[in-house]
Amino acid sequence: MKGHCRGNPNEGDTSSLVEEINKKEEIVEQKDNLAEQLSQVTKNVGDVKEIVDNPEAAIENLKKIVLAVKAAGQSTDNAVTAITNAILDSRNVVFTNKLDDESLKQLQTKYNSYYQQEETLFKSHGRDISQMLERNKDRCYEIINKGDGVYFGRKTFMRLYIAFRTFFGIILLEIVYGIVKWLGI
């Protein structure tokens, strides 16, 4: 019989025991993983079932919405027809108003008062406008006579400034080009 040399007679038992414990732990871990995967599959099945059930509910809701929109449209059509008929029927209505002499005098007095106020306001506005125009005309002549120059708006000034700088640059380049050509460089 061949003999194996073992350092510890119990070492073989412990290593198999450690192996067995490791296997059991691995089995427990696999069991937990499988339980988690089963839970995920169950959740996915529930999600799929919900997705399948939702279109049916959505279709039912859409059918209800379509019916409500049709009913609202018919109600609107009925309202438009009623308004149109009321307008057409109102053409046949005749209004009459009878004023006694005292009411007519009060109405005429109010109208005259209103007319006088409007005429006063019109004249006042006319005077104010002519005075304003006269002041503006005087101010314009004052600026022109002082020789202060011409005033441009911001956009016009910027356009003229850019044009001036561009033309000045072109002329400067032409001068430099002429000097370089004259010197033969």
Side-chain angles (χ1 to χ4, degrees):
M1 210 166 135
K2 287 184 176 180
H4 291 291
C5 181
R6 291 185 191 185
N8 188 346
N10 290 334
E11 190 176 303
D13 291 339
T14 30
S15 64
S16 64
L17 185 60
V18 167
E19 261 181 52
E20 197 172 313
I21 290 172
N22 285 341
K23 283 182 185 178
K24 285 184 180 180
E25 285 178 359
E26 204 173 294
I27 290 171
V28 167
E29 189 176 309
Q30 287 178 355
K31 179 183 170 189
D32 289 342
N33 286 342
L34 284 175
E36 187 177 316
Q37 289 175 0
L38 180 62
S39 169
Q40 186 64 37
V41 167
T42 305
K43 181 180 178 278
N44 290 347
V45 167
D47 291 347
V48 168
K49 185 176 187 288
E50 186 177 317
I51 289 170
V52 169
D53 289 345
N54 277 345
E56 293 172 2
I59 289 170
E60 289 301 316
N61 287 340
L62 286 175
K63 286 179 183 177
K64 291 175 185 175
I65 291 171
V66 167
L67 289 174
V69 168
K70 283 182 182 178
Q74 290 172 351
S75 176
T76 303
D77 290 344
N78 291 342
V80 169
T81 303
I83 291 170
T84 304
N85 289 338
I87 291 170
L88 292 174
D89 290 344
S90 70
R91 291 181 183 174
N92 299 327
V93 176
V94 177
F95 287 103
T96 58
N97 189 6
K98 294 181 182 179
L99 295 174
D100 58 2
D101 290 336
E102 188 176 325
S103 297
L104 190 58
K105 284 179 185 177
Q106 286 178 350
L107 190 59
Q108 189 66 37
T109 305
K110 294 273 185 193
Y111 174 76
N112 288 337
S113 171
Y114 172 75
Y115 181 75
Q116 291 297 326
Q117 289 174 356
E118 283 294 316
E119 195 172 291
T120 305
L121 279 173
F122 180 73
K123 287 178 183 177
S124 172
H125 283 235
R127 267 193 317 275
D128 291 345
I129 289 171
S130 68
Q131 287 173 357
M132 183 181 65
L133 291 173
E134 195 64 35
R135 280 193 308 264
N136 284 338
K137 182 181 81 170
D138 292 343
R139 178 70 179 129
C140 288
Y141 282 128
E142 183 182 318
I143 290 170
I144 292 169
N145 290 335
K146 278 186 178 179
D148 285 345
V150 179
Y151 294 95
F152 295 112
R154 188 173 195 278
K155 285 183 181 179
T156 305
F157 176 77
M158 288 307 292
R159 289 176 185 152
L160 290 173
Y161 178 76
I162 291 169
F164 171 77
R165 296 292 288 207
T166 303
F167 293 132
F168 180 77
I170 291 170
I171 291 170
L172 187 64
L173 286 174
E174 287 289 328
I175 291 171
V176 170
Y177 178 74
I179 292 173
V180 168
K181 192 175 180 183
W182 181 65
L183 292 174
I185 299 178

